[in-house]
Amino acid sequence: FVHIHNVKGESSALDLKEFTDMAHNFEEELSEMRAAPSVRGQDFLSLTVRLDKMISHAQSITDLVGKLSSFNSSSKQIKKNSINNKSWSHLFKLVDDLSKDYGKQVMLVASGLSEVAIPKELERTINSICIQFIKNAVVHGIELPKDRMNLEKYTQGRIDIRLSKTPDGNIELAIRDDGAGFDYDKIRQVAIQSGHWSETELESWDNKKLLSLIFSSGFSTAVSIDKNAGRGAGMDVIMKNIKEHKGKISVSSRSGRYSQFIVSFPTALLQQQAA
């Protein structure tokens, strides 16, 4: 489920609509299977068919990209002139597309993504984290223009992504949006409804401990499910990616004003692992 969710997020950011739809349908069927009291071997048959179609589709895209790149004589020179071979333009397009889909006005301001040298093993993880936090900010965090106006905010919301190197050489990714922040009462309510925690237990939790719940698998405060939100998988995926690379995350929020996530990766440890 986590892998398919990652595929869906990345294909959505790259505007591969057919691939996004295939991954979403795969995710739908996986969700139904996870909710079933029991499964049999034959229940996996339709998933293998879906997986085969996705692999075939991916191979077709790979072949097409290979043919197109053979006509691009300047591609090698472009890579030489870039600190990071990865292009980040898809993040800006993702913000634009999501803003249109949800009737919002959002701008993305990014710094350091192309300037800070990112270890190869971190590129995909940082990309996945950026995609998920952008989705969260546009879908959940940033308000509709009319609501922002009533709150005496600019009608256009803003997402800031900053990648930097700390004095001790670690890679730090900070993502902040000027949206509604976290609704702690809603988080507590969803937690009670889940049945995993009692109302009495949750009443004693401070806001910091409540925020930790957003990284729980299946936890979501979304009212409905669509291709970009509602399954409670995104934050769980982010935490898995961070832990895989021995990273740390800190969260801060002010109701009605902002949400901020700071992720730190120890590059020295990554280099040891690579070695």
Side-chain angles (χ1 to χ4, degrees):
F1 190 90
V2 169
H3 289 305
I4 292 297
H5 190 81
N6 267 335
V7 168
K8 187 176 77 169
E10 292 182 2
S11 58
S12 174
L14 294 171
D15 203 25
L16 300 173
K17 296 186 184 300
E18 186 176 353
F19 212 111
T20 304
D21 289 341
M22 293 171 74
H24 181 67
N25 292 334
F26 200 134
E27 194 177 59
E28 288 273 339
E29 192 163 342
L30 279 173
S31 294
E32 292 176 6
M33 186 175 288
R34 295 206 310 179
S38 63
V39 292
R40 297 170 298 170
Q42 66 186 44
D43 295 331
F44 291 91
L45 181 59
S46 60
L47 291 180
T48 63
V49 174
R50 289 189 184 280
L51 183 60
D52 184 61
K53 287 182 179 179
M54 289 180 69
I55 291 172
S56 298
H57 192 60
Q59 187 58 53
S60 298
I61 293 173
T62 301
D63 293 342
L64 179 60
V65 170
K67 290 176 182 178
L68 290 174
S69 64
S70 66
F71 293 103
N72 186 3
S73 60
S74 62
S75 62
K76 290 183 179 179
Q77 188 60 40
I78 291 173
K79 286 187 176 182
K80 286 180 181 178
N81 293 337
S82 174
I83 293 177
N84 297 323
N85 293 337
K86 183 172 185 59
S87 169
W88 299 92
S89 58
H90 62 285
L91 297 182
F92 292 87
K93 189 176 188 311
L94 178 62
V95 171
D96 290 341
D97 290 345
L98 288 173
S99 299
K100 291 173 185 174
D101 289 345
Y102 289 88
K104 298 180 179 181
Q105 299 173 13
V106 187
M107 68 179 294
L108 172 63
V109 179
S111 62
L113 289 175
S114 297
E115 293 76 29
V116 176
I118 306 173
K120 193 67 179 176
E121 58 272 20
L122 269 184
E123 272 191 5
R124 183 166 185 175
T125 294
I126 288 176
N127 180 58
S128 296
I129 291 173
C130 288
I131 289 172
Q132 189 60 53
F133 278 138
I134 284 173
K135 285 186 174 183
N136 289 350
V138 178
V139 178
H140 300 298
I142 294 175
E143 310 90 343
L144 291 165
K146 60 182 179 63
D147 295 329
R148 291 179 64 86
M149 191 179 296
N150 292 335
L151 293 167
E152 298 184 346
K153 290 182 172 182
Y154 291 115
T155 54
Q156 184 181 48
R158 173 168 169 159
I159 301 171
D160 285 89
I161 296 178
R162 176 180 53 81
L163 186 69
S164 61
K165 261 198 172 180
T166 61
D168 55 5
N170 291 343
I171 296 288
E172 185 176 274
L173 177 67
I175 303 178
R176 178 187 178 108
D177 70 77
D178 66 347
F182 288 104
D183 186 334
Y184 297 102
D185 290 335
K186 193 170 186 179
I187 292 174
R188 186 179 280 106
Q189 181 184 2
V190 171
I192 293 170
Q193 291 171 349
S194 72
H196 295 302
W197 302 273
S198 67
E199 186 172 357
T200 304
E201 180 184 5
L202 289 164
E203 282 179 355
S204 65
W205 289 19
D206 59 17
N207 289 344
K208 184 177 180 180
K209 193 168 183 178
L210 277 174
L211 274 181
S212 67
L213 293 179
I214 66 176
F215 297 102
S216 302
S217 179
F219 191 92
S220 176
T221 57
V223 177
S224 59
I225 295 174
D226 62 21
K227 291 181 181 179
N228 299 301
R231 294 208 181 277
M235 299 299 274
D236 180 35
V237 170
I238 284 175
M239 184 57 75
K240 281 183 170 66
N241 285 332
I242 292 172
K243 286 182 176 179
E244 182 182 346
H245 297 289
K246 310 301 180 185
K248 295 180 180 179
I249 184 169
S250 63
V251 188
S252 60
S253 174
R254 181 181 173 189
S255 180
R257 291 300 165 190
Y258 76 89
S259 294
Q260 179 170 278
F261 301 85
I262 299 178
V263 184
S264 178
F265 295 101
T267 53
L269 188 57
L270 287 171
Q271 289 167 355
Q272 289 174 14
Q273 289 177 332

